[in-house]
Amino acid sequence: MTGLLVGPGCYAVSFNTREISTGLWLAVILVWVLFSPARRVVPGLIRAAAAPKILGAVAVAALFTTGVVLVLWRVGVWTIAELKDTIIWFLFSGIALAFRGVNTPHPDRIVHASIWDAVRLTVLMEFLLSTYTFPLLVEILLLPFAALIAAMLVIAQSEKQFASVASFLGKLQVALGSIVIGATVWSATHDFQALWSRESARRLSTPIFLGLAFVPLAYFMALVAGYESLFLPLKIYNVPIRLRLYAEARLIAMLKYHLKAVCIAKQRLRMPLGKVSSLSDIDKALSHLSVKIPAPVPPGADAASYWAGYKLGLDSAPADLATRMAVEEHCDAIIGEQHYDQQSFDEGFGAGRQDFDLG
């Protein structure tokens, strides 16, 4: 450990060899970016990160973290010794957790996923792996080697012709992880006093408490992002502000805080919301809105034709692009053979595809 005194000798910030190694490599990467052609993209990245919505969300997350830490401090679970770990958790886990439900295929699953992330076994493993580290030289060599394997594995897995390489890299990654975990467990078993100390218990419990506390914040941010995405067609198609506000108020009153319902409505109203030109159009579109799965038969549609199309759309959704296109080309033949209603079948087919994405 390397210590840095903060204040009048009241607190020492300690950095282990893994954290020092990570900081050194980040500094190397930063210097390389600043003195290479890649520096041209830096201003754009800074502008994107400095967008008011992103900065506002990060500020809210920081204030929320501060509030949780104050509560934990008052009940004796958190001390100033956990400050460094708390800051690291916020920068590398907390911000990601807060944005977890934004722009994901299934933001409604954020609660379950966040709780699992907060208490899963890797919390313990991350605690152990940050408590017991290798000498600095080993850590400096280990970090880029592990990162290189991970990057090569991602590339190899993206192409079928590299399947054998991906298999080898996967086994190499598992072997490297097993060595690190094995060495960590060996060190832990020979230092039970430090492992089961009060300080270790606080270090382990802090990320769990913070992660669980972030669940409602992550849900709220996912809900806000979901509503913003739901309202997007109104802006894209330049719907008058009076109609836009009316539609937004009606939708919020209808869907409330139910994130799953917002996600379903976003899929089913993508086209109708862009076509509204009066209050009656909005009322009609919302009166036909259902957030149930499977999507019910629309008013006036032929039920047999709708459900036939729905089943075909649902069954073909997970297929590859060529298969999906072949199915769509075959739809006309099916409609003609079974004497289905064209419009009802097409509505059911589209609803089946949507419900697969929502399932």
Side-chain angles (χ1 to χ4, degrees), residues 287-348:
S287 66
H288 293 163
L289 173 64
S290 172
V291 292
K292 296 180 180 179
I293 296 179
V297 180
D302 177 68
S305 302
Y306 177 87
W307 289 120
Y310 182 92
K311 185 176 185 306
L312 187 61
L314 188 67
D315 292 343
S316 62
D320 57 74
L321 180 60
T323 302
R324 293 200 304 270
M325 293 181 64
V327 169
E328 291 177 10
E329 292 175 356
H330 189 57
C331 284
D332 290 338
I334 296 175
I335 292 170
E337 291 172 0
Q338 301 297 326
H339 305 289
Y340 289 134
D341 176 68
Q342 175 82 51
Q343 183 176 351
S344 300
F345 186 94
D346 290 344
E347 288 180 346

Side-chain angles (χ1 to χ4, degrees), residues 19 69 80 154 166 189 201-203 241 244 253 278 304 306 339:
E19 292 164 347
V69 166
I80 194 65
V154 171
T189 56
R202 283 197 299 263
R203 287 193 60 205
I241 186 65
R244 187 192 309 172
S278 64
Y306 177 87
H339 305 289

Side-chain angles (χ1 to χ4, degrees), residues 143-321:
L143 183 61
F145 182 65
L148 179 63
I149 293 176
M152 293 173 62
L153 180 60
V154 171
I155 296 173
Q157 288 176 335
S158 64
E159 299 291 342
K160 292 183 178 180
Q161 61 265 34
F162 299 141
S164 59
V165 177
S167 176
F168 169 76
L169 290 173
K171 293 176 181 177
L172 183 60
Q173 190 178 55
V174 170
L176 179 63
S178 299
I179 293 173
V180 174
I181 292 174
T184 299
V185 172
W186 184 88
S187 298
T189 56
H190 287 74
D191 193 12
F192 271 109
Q193 184 176 359
L195 180 63
W196 299 109
S197 66
R198 181 176 298 180
E199 178 185 355
S200 295
R202 283 197 299 263
R203 287 193 60 205
L204 177 59
S205 62
T206 295
I208 295 178
F209 285 129
L210 288 171
L212 292 175
F214 256 60
V215 171
L217 177 63
Y219 185 91
F220 173 76
M221 294 186 68
L223 184 64
V224 171
Y227 270 115
E228 185 173 5
S229 181
L230 172 61
F231 300 152
L232 190 59
L234 297 170
K235 299 178 181 178
I236 292 177
Y237 292 98
N238 295 318
V239 174
I241 186 65
R242 181 176 66 92
L243 298 180
R244 187 192 309 172
L245 293 176
Y246 177 75
E248 292 176 356
R250 283 286 312 274
L251 284 167
I252 292 174
M254 179 185 297
L255 303 173
K256 299 180 177 62
Y257 51 83
H258 301 292
L259 183 54
K260 178 72 172 181
V262 173
C263 296
I264 296 173
K266 178 178 66 176
Q267 293 289 341
R268 295 181 180 169
L269 290 176
R270 181 176 290 126
M271 293 304 295
L273 279 184
K275 297 177 180 179
V276 297
S277 58
S278 64
L279 296 178
S280 59
D281 288 343
I282 297 174
D283 292 336
K284 182 179 179 181
L286 299 189
S287 66
H288 293 163
L289 173 64
S290 172
V291 292
K292 296 180 180 179
I293 296 179
V297 180
D302 177 68
S305 302
Y306 177 87
W307 289 120
Y310 182 92
K311 185 176 185 306
L312 187 61
L314 188 67
D315 292 343
S316 62
D320 57 74
L321 180 60

Side-chain angles (χ1 to χ4, degrees), residues 30-251:
L30 178 61
V31 171
W32 176 81
V33 168
L34 293 178
F35 290 93
S36 72
R39 67 180 180 275
R40 290 193 293 267
V41 305
V42 173
L45 292 174
I46 294 176
R47 285 194 297 270
K53 290 182 180 179
I54 295 179
L55 287 181
V58 173
V60 170
L63 290 174
F64 189 83
T65 302
T66 303
V68 174
V69 166
L70 288 175
V71 172
L72 295 177
W73 173 68
R74 291 297 298 270
V75 300
V77 176
W78 188 93
T79 68
I80 194 65
E82 281 72 59
L83 179 60
K84 182 203 70 175
D85 292 336
T86 302
I87 294 174
I88 292 176
W89 179 90
F90 175 76
L91 293 176
F92 293 97
S93 297
I95 295 176
L97 179 59
F99 285 94
R100 173 139 192 191
V102 179
N103 293 329
T104 61
H106 302 286
D108 52 288
R109 300 176 185 174
I110 181 65
V111 173
H112 178 271
S114 299
I115 293 176
W116 173 241
D117 278 352
V119 298
R120 62 192 173 119
L121 182 60
T122 52
V123 170
L124 176 61
M125 294 311 301
E126 289 168 4
F127 162 73
L128 288 173
L129 291 174
S130 65
T131 302
Y132 301 96
T133 59
F134 299 110
L136 181 58
L137 180 59
V138 176
E139 291 289 348
I140 291 176
L141 298 175
L142 180 64
L143 183 61
F145 182 65
L148 179 63
I149 293 176
M152 293 173 62
L153 180 60
V154 171
I155 296 173
Q157 288 176 335
S158 64
E159 299 291 342
K160 292 183 178 180
Q161 61 265 34
F162 299 141
S164 59
V165 177
S167 176
F168 169 76
L169 290 173
K171 293 176 181 177
L172 183 60
Q173 190 178 55
V174 170
L176 179 63
S178 299
I179 293 173
V180 174
I181 292 174
T184 299
V185 172
W186 184 88
S187 298
T189 56
H190 287 74
D191 193 12
F192 271 109
Q193 184 176 359
L195 180 63
W196 299 109
S197 66
R198 181 176 298 180
E199 178 185 355
S200 295
R202 283 197 299 263
R203 287 193 60 205
L204 177 59
S205 62
T206 295
I208 295 178
F209 285 129
L210 288 171
L212 292 175
F214 256 60
V215 171
L217 177 63
Y219 185 91
F220 173 76
M221 294 186 68
L223 184 64
V224 171
Y227 270 115
E228 185 173 5
S229 181
L230 172 61
F231 300 152
L232 190 59
L234 297 170
K235 299 178 181 178
I236 292 177
Y237 292 98
N238 295 318
V239 174
I241 186 65
R242 181 176 66 92
L243 298 180
R244 187 192 309 172
L245 293 176
Y246 177 75
E248 292 176 356
R250 283 286 312 274
L251 284 167

Side-chain angles (χ1 to χ4, degrees), residues 3-32:
L4 174 64
L5 288 179
V6 178
C10 59
Y11 172 53
V13 180
S14 298
F15 297 95
N16 60 38
T17 56
R18 187 157 300 153
E19 292 164 347
I20 295 173
S21 171
T22 302
L24 289 174
W25 279 111
L26 288 176
V28 170
I29 293 172
L30 178 61
V31 171
W32 176 81

